[in-house]
Amino acid sequence: MGRGNADGMHDRLERMRARARELEADAEQAGSAEERRRLQGEVEKLEMDSEQESMMAAGDIYPCE
């Protein structure tokens, strides 16, 4: 993986993590339990996706085919 790709991956992961933090804050402010659960679900998905992409970039895991 070239340096440009590594920088791009790092930027993408940081954007995903920042979005997860934003959604977490939104969930804390949500007016209804249903909206809070929906936002929490999105946070969890973003966190799992960013963790998986991070491990793939490090060569720790490989995508399913």
Side-chain angles (χ1 to χ4, degrees):
M1 179 181 283
R3 184 69 186 142
N5 288 341
D7 287 343
M9 177 64 73
H10 176 77
D11 291 344
R12 176 174 159 71
L13 290 171
E14 190 53 42
R15 283 191 307 272
M16 290 172 76
R17 291 174 182 145
R19 180 66 179 144
R21 288 189 298 270
E22 290 171 7
L23 289 172
E24 184 87 56
D26 290 348
E28 290 175 11
Q29 301 291 321
S32 72
E34 181 179 335
E35 180 70 1
R36 194 169 16 264
R37 280 191 298 274
R38 185 187 70 75
L39 290 168
Q40 240 355 93
E42 289 184 40
V43 168
E44 290 171 10
K45 182 177 181 341
L46 276 170
E47 289 174 343
M48 287 188 325
D49 289 351
S50 68
E51 183 66 26
Q52 183 177 10
E53 286 194 31
S54 178
M55 288 188 295
M56 285 171 48
D60 292 341
I61 64 170
Y62 301 94
C64 297
E65 294 187 80

